[in-house]
Amino acid sequence: MFVTILGRLQQYSPVSSTCTLKECQKVKKVENTDEIGQIIHRDFLDPFCESYVLVGEGETALGDNYLKFEDEVKKFEMRDSDIIVASYPKAGTTWTQEMVWLIGNDLDFKAAEEHLDKRFPHFELCTIVDFQKMKDTLGATRPEFVGNSLNYIRNQDGVRYIKTHLPYDLLPNQVLTGTKLPRIIYVMRDPKDVCVSYFHHGRLIQGWRADFENFSKVFLSEKIMFGSYWKHVLGFWEQRHKPNILIITYEDMKIDLLGVIRKVAEFLNKELPEEKIPQLLKHLSFESMKNNRAVNQQDKIESRKKHKLVPEDGAFMRSGTSQSYKGEMTEELVSKFDQWSKQYISHSSFANDPTAALYLNSAQKTTKM
Ligand code: PPS
């Protein structure tokens, strides 16, 4: 299998002359021939993720390990009863997962003591890095919900809660064709906050070594892992009228968590036990989640540090605020981000949504949309 994939990779490389045009367009490798490629090769790749490829119509940047699972992902058997939390990385996925899981499980706080990754596994996690190689070289074993997440989910009974960072076009075929109608809750967040949070996450968990300047260059180039922020958001946004899709924002959760909880409960057809709502709000607060080992990813961070895989110390539950980018981005970078956002937003019906204005605050000062 591995040999076949490597063969495909070489075949799809832009310098190859053996593939047909269609095949060549399907998967391209990120080469180190320009500044972005050089940063990626120097600061992002490692023995467990040796190259990035651009996958699908949206040319989403993913580790080459993804290619081993590409067919399995596309042909994955979904169920109408599945509940999916989808997001671009660092948009508030974990917070949304915990909220959705508790609503779906009648606010069973006792059962929520089990690790979130087990209750609400990450669909494509096994594709992100080569876990088999990690095991062979470092002796680092991973449970099935990490190393073979697709299989773990396939074998789950009852309502399956599934996290994914895949863009809409890379979801299983049955979702795209509407053959199966899992409910999808998509959470989005200001891309500037996402970028800052992703930068710290990269150093804390992924082992990426880029400084913030280079990280944001790669983010804006849309060749960061999981690709273009705006293609991701707008891919789901365009599907928002489907009855099985709900879009929420991190910012709304910060301002009116209860309002979002009620919206999600309605979407999932769940009655909320009103007497337990104060406990739910407390459970979902940043302070509680920061200290809750079932959701705060502390075990993952400790394991990365033990195997000396990461350059940074810190917490997954880092700032938990909106607009924390203001402390980390120069005005020039903020303006670059907003100009980039504006290019996407102005060609989309998202421009009419109040969230667009929120995400474009610096561009709006100078330019009319
Ligand atoms: S991941 O790795 O992609 O699944 O990360 P994700 O969960 O999407 O994003 C992590 C950021 O969400 C913040 N977070 C919260 N903010 C407010 N309240 C609560 N309860 C909460 N839980 C998680 C977390 O702190 C990360 O954001 P930053 O800006 O880094 O603090």
Side-chain angles (χ1 to χ4, degrees):
M1 176 75 172
F2 191 50
V3 174
T4 322
I5 298 301
L6 274 183
R8 275 192 60 200
L9 241 185
Q10 281 149 6
Q11 198 186 15
Y12 290 142
S13 149
V15 291
S16 162
S17 58
T18 53
C19 58
T20 67
L21 185 61
K22 194 160 173 256
E23 284 170 335
C24 288
Q25 281 168 345
K26 195 173 168 214
V27 182
K28 291 183 195 150
K29 204 172 159 184
V30 175
E31 306 287 1
N32 65 350
T33 46
D34 59 10
E35 189 194 8
I36 298 301
Q38 280 156 11
I39 298 171
I40 289 173
H41 279 251
R42 189 189 61 223
D43 295 338
F44 287 77
L45 300 181
D46 61 34
F48 312 110
C49 179
E50 291 183 311
S51 72
Y52 277 14
V53 288
L54 305 177
V55 187
E57 272 174 37
E59 303 211 326
T60 302
L62 294 168
D64 58 348
N65 196 52
Y66 179 81
L67 298 178
K68 290 185 213 169
F69 297 93
E70 196 182 14
D71 278 355
E72 202 180 333
V73 164
K74 273 287 159 198
K75 292 179 185 154
F76 193 85
E77 297 260 345
M78 300 302 307
R79 299 179 198 153
D80 290 330
S81 57
D82 289 339
I83 296 176
I84 299 175
V85 165
S87 63
Y88 193 84
K90 311 317 288 181
T93 329
T94 313
W95 195 11
T96 305
Q97 285 174 272
E98 188 67 349
M99 171 180 66
V100 166
W101 192 91
L102 278 164
I103 294 171
N105 287 279
D106 305 313
L107 310 196
D108 187 344
F109 295 102
K110 185 78 198 144
E113 286 173 11
E114 184 173 45
H115 203 294
L116 182 67
D117 294 357
K118 258 179 150 174
R119 289 182 275 129
F120 214 132
H122 183 172
F123 185 63
E124 70 283 1
L125 186 57
C126 61
T127 74
I128 291 177
V129 294
D130 189 338
F131 286 109
Q132 186 59 47
K133 192 169 180 190
M134 235 180 214
K135 184 178 171 208
D136 295 344
T137 53
L138 301 174
T141 52
R142 296 281 184 262
E144 192 188 25
F145 60 85
V146 178
N148 199 345
S149 51
L150 294 168
N151 218 36
Y152 179 81
I153 294 168
R154 187 178 296 114
N155 294 329
Q156 276 186 314
D157 293 326
V159 176
R160 299 184 298 190
Y161 290 83
I162 303 168
K163 156 184 170 174
T164 186
H165 290 316
L166 289 177
Y168 189 77
D169 69 294
L170 296 186
L171 292 181
N173 289 331
Q174 290 184 330
V175 177
L176 303 194
T177 58
T179 322
K180 286 286 162 19
L181 295 168
R183 272 164 297 180
I184 301 177
I185 295 131
Y186 185 81
V187 58
M188 59 192 285
R189 184 183 190 187
D190 189 322
K192 300 181 286 292
D193 282 331
V194 163
C195 178
V196 169
S197 182
Y198 206 1
F199 164 68
H200 290 289
H201 174 99
R203 294 180 64 87
L204 185 66
I205 290 183
Q206 301 293 137
W208 297 337
R209 304 162 298 279
D211 60 19
F212 185 59
E213 194 185 339
N214 282 331
F215 185 91
S216 38
K217 274 187 194 166
V218 178
F219 188 93
L220 284 172
S221 80
E222 310 187 339
K223 291 201 177 80
I224 199 88
M225 190 173 277
F226 291 107
S228 163
Y229 168 86
W230 280 114
K231 283 187 194 168
H232 203 288
V233 165
L234 296 177
F236 282 90
W237 174 260
E238 281 155 16
Q239 307 299 324
R240 72 195 178 286
H241 296 306
K242 291 187 176 160
N244 64 321
I245 295 193
L246 176 72
I247 298 190
I248 61 173
T249 71
Y250 180 94
E251 291 75 16
D252 280 348
M253 288 171 79
K254 287 296 295 182
I255 295 167
D256 178 17
L257 183 57
L258 183 55
V260 179
I261 288 170
R262 293 205 187 282
K263 209 193 263 185
V264 170
E266 196 186 332
F267 177 68
L268 297 178
N269 289 323
K270 291 301 268 188
E271 289 270 331
L272 286 168
E274 291 294 322
E275 71 288 357
K276 285 192 187 170
I277 286 193
Q279 194 183 349
L280 176 62
L281 290 172
K282 186 161 182 255
H283 182 94
L284 293 175
S285 71
F286 183 68
E287 278 315 309
S288 295
M289 285 192 53
K290 195 175 169 64
N291 294 309
N292 178 355
R293 276 186 79 89
V295 299
N296 68 12
Q297 304 289 348
Q298 201 48 39
D299 51 344
K300 213 178 263 177
I301 293 166
E302 283 160 13
S303 154
R304 299 289 194 283
K305 288 195 82 67
K306 186 175 135 199
H307 293 289
K308 298 193 174 36
L309 289 170
V310 290
E312 191 162 294
D313 206 2
F316 179 90
M317 300 291 174
R318 193 186 56 91
S319 98
T321 56
S322 294
Q323 303 200 334
S324 81
Y325 71 83
K326 287 183 175 165
E328 303 210 31
M329 283 189 180
T330 60
E331 268 185 38
E332 194 191 347
L333 187 58
V334 169
S335 156
K336 225 183 234 178
F337 259 79
D338 289 351
Q339 291 303 329
W340 163 74
S341 295
K342 195 175 150 243
Q343 281 172 17
Y344 276 100
I345 291 174
S346 58
H347 293 107
S348 151
S349 61
F350 181 62
N352 304 320
D353 191 273
T355 311
L358 189 71
Y359 292 179
L360 279 177
N361 51 8
S362 77
Q364 282 219 325
K365 274 183 217 149
T366 49
T367 334
K368 266 193 167 174
M369 292 232 332

